[in-house]
Amino acid sequence: MAERRMISRKIAEDDRFVDMHPVSKLLYFYLVLNADDDGFVGSVKMINFLTNADQNNYDELLENNLILEPTKNGVYVITDWYAQNKIEPKIYKATEYLSVRALLFIKTNFAYTTNPDEKDIISPVDYWIKQGRDKKTPPEIQAQQYLEQFQETSKKVPRSVEETSKKVLAQNRLDKNRLDKSRLEQNRPDQTKKEKINIDKDNSTSTSSIYNNATTENKGNSGEKGGVDNRVNNQLDTNNNQDTVSSLFNYLNGISTTDIPKDNKRLADVFDMLIHNGYEIEDIQLGIDNIMNVANQMPQYQNEQSLAKLLIQHLPEYTKQTLEQSSSND
């Protein structure tokens, strides 16, 4: 642990700091003094003893955005750490709280934030540190560099994912064919009954005549366009879509670190819409692959809600791009 840390006059003389309780100010100084090289403090019992601080003082620092608490595991983050401190690369030692750091983003003023929607974000903190904690290159250029890297990564599909996609696709087709045959037999009880009667009488039957009889009855008994055949086919299509949608959820959760329940209606509607628009299951799976290649590297998409929102917003676009790229390659 370093013996010296820096505190900026800009922070110490800011109104949000000046108006705080004296114990909260002292607590902040001790947190900065005991932080690791990334500005993280994970052990505060001694600090609390030295400053006589309690939860109210921590809450005051949190309310003034002087510290962050990304998780409830007792690790605190100095918000303006990199705005105040510079640790040379040769002596820099990364924090041991990497799971907490993965939740943070770096802003143009080199302050931490947990909100990925803030407009002045450069990139996730992990990426920024990996690039060397660059404070010389203008933040807007760094943000553009990260965006370009993000877009380039999203185009790549690892070979293992491609192979998995083909295996799942083959199994889906096999299951679908079996299901179609089973449901077709279940939805034609009258036809099966007629076949049995004809066999009992003559020990022989003509499949073509049975289809003709069924067609004649459908035309006579239904006022809807296409008669009973159309209703059966529509029911089969709906059932098949449900199975394909369920298969897509299985595929998604198989390559994601976060499971999205199959009762997520908005995402299920997106899958169903793509199927109705004529996209093959492998096209949709490749669209999912392209999004997940990026999402699995981004901490803000490591929960069910944000990942589902990302897929709902971008899967149609990525699926279309995948199909267009495939067509151009052919």
Side-chain angles (χ1 to χ4, degrees):
M1 180 69 66
E3 296 296 323
R4 297 179 181 85
R5 295 302 189 192
M6 299 293 293
I7 294 180
S8 168
R9 283 182 57 191
K10 184 178 180 181
I11 301 296
E13 295 180 359
D14 188 90
D15 288 347
R16 60 176 174 165
F17 191 89
V18 173
D19 292 339
M20 288 195 308
H21 191 279
V23 173
S24 299
K25 297 176 185 177
L26 184 61
L27 173 61
Y28 181 77
F29 288 134
Y30 268 93
L31 287 172
V32 172
L33 183 62
N34 285 274
D36 61 25
D37 286 356
D38 283 322
F40 289 54
V41 188
S43 179
V44 297
K45 287 186 177 180
M46 179 58 71
I47 296 175
N48 294 341
F49 175 77
L50 292 172
T51 62
N52 200 29
D54 57 24
Q55 187 58 46
N56 291 329
N57 301 115
Y58 284 95
D59 290 342
E60 190 170 19
L61 293 177
L62 288 166
E63 289 170 5
N64 286 285
N65 198 36
L66 288 165
I67 63 172
L68 301 172
E69 189 180 13
T71 64
K72 296 298 181 182
N73 61 355
V75 177
Y76 295 94
V77 180
I78 309 300
T79 306
D80 300 289
W81 176 257
Y82 277 111
Q84 300 181 91
N85 288 274
K86 180 181 179 181
I87 296 92
E88 295 297 327
K90 61 183 180 181
I91 61 172
Y92 165 77
K93 183 179 179 181
T95 182
E96 64 182 273
Y97 306 108
L98 296 178
S99 61
V100 177
R101 195 178 75 181
L103 303 173
L104 300 175
F105 300 84
I106 197 78
K107 300 167 62 175
T108 54
N109 63 353
F110 303 106
Y112 287 133
T113 180
T114 57
N115 182 7
D117 297 325
E118 290 194 34
K119 295 181 179 179
D120 54 348
I121 285 178
I122 297 176
S123 72
V125 170
D126 281 351
Y127 176 84
W128 186 73
I129 290 178
K130 182 180 178 182
Q131 298 303 111
R133 299 175 296 137
D134 184 7
K135 295 177 72 173
K136 296 181 180 179
T137 305
E140 59 272 15
I141 295 179
Q142 292 191 51
Q144 181 62 32
Q145 289 173 345
Y146 172 72
L147 179 61
E148 291 173 356
Q149 191 271 348
F150 176 88
Q151 292 173 338
E152 183 64 27
T153 302
S154 68
K155 297 177 183 178
K156 299 177 180 179
V157 180
R159 179 175 298 276
S160 59
V161 175
E162 290 178 340
E163 291 172 353
T164 302
S165 177
K166 291 178 181 178
K167 291 179 181 178
V168 172
L169 174 59
Q171 185 61 47
N172 285 340
R173 285 174 175 167
L174 181 60
D175 293 342
K176 185 174 183 293
N177 289 337
R178 290 173 177 170
L179 196 60
D180 286 351
K181 183 177 180 181
S182 173
R183 285 198 172 134
L184 192 59
E185 293 173 354
Q186 291 174 4
N187 282 278
R188 286 178 177 162
D190 293 338
Q191 176 183 330
T192 305
K193 184 177 180 181
K194 289 183 179 182
E195 284 182 328
K196 184 177 180 181
I197 292 172
N198 287 338
I199 291 173
D200 289 341
K201 288 182 178 180
D202 306 324
N203 289 329
S204 63
T205 186
S206 170
T207 305
S208 60
S209 65
I210 294 171
Y211 277 108
N212 290 336
N213 291 338
T215 304
T216 303
E217 290 183 6
N218 290 339
K219 289 181 179 178
N221 293 334
S222 175
E224 299 177 6
K225 184 179 180 180
V228 177
D229 278 348
N230 247 6
R231 291 202 301 272
V232 172
N233 288 337
N234 289 339
Q235 182 63 41
L236 287 173
D237 289 342
T238 302
N239 290 335
N240 289 339
N241 283 355
Q242 290 175 351
D243 294 322
T244 306
V245 168
S246 177
S247 176
L248 287 169
F249 271 106
N250 290 338
Y251 180 79
L252 167 63
N253 292 331
I255 63 173
S256 170
T257 57
T258 303
D259 279 355
I260 299 180
K262 295 182 181 180
D263 60 1
N264 189 309
K265 188 175 185 305
R266 291 185 63 196
L267 184 54
D269 287 343
V270 171
F271 288 155
D272 189 59
M273 177 268 293
L274 290 170
I275 297 165
H276 275 297
N277 286 346
Y279 288 102
E280 298 291 340
I281 187 172
E282 62 264 33
D283 299 325
I284 304 173
Q285 287 173 339
L286 287 175
I288 293 173
D289 290 339
N290 287 337
I291 292 177
M292 293 308 303
N293 285 338
V294 179
N296 283 335
Q297 303 176 36
M298 302 287 286
Q300 67 267 40
Y301 298 124
Q302 299 306 305
N303 63 78
E304 173 194 330
Q305 290 81 7
S306 60
L307 179 58
K309 183 178 179 181
L310 180 70
L311 288 159
I312 290 166
Q313 291 178 341
H314 297 289
L315 183 57
E317 170 194 351
Y318 272 70
T319 303
K320 181 180 178 182
Q321 289 178 359
T322 299
L323 187 60
E324 290 174 347
Q325 290 173 1
S326 176
S327 299
S328 62
N329 292 336
D330 293 342

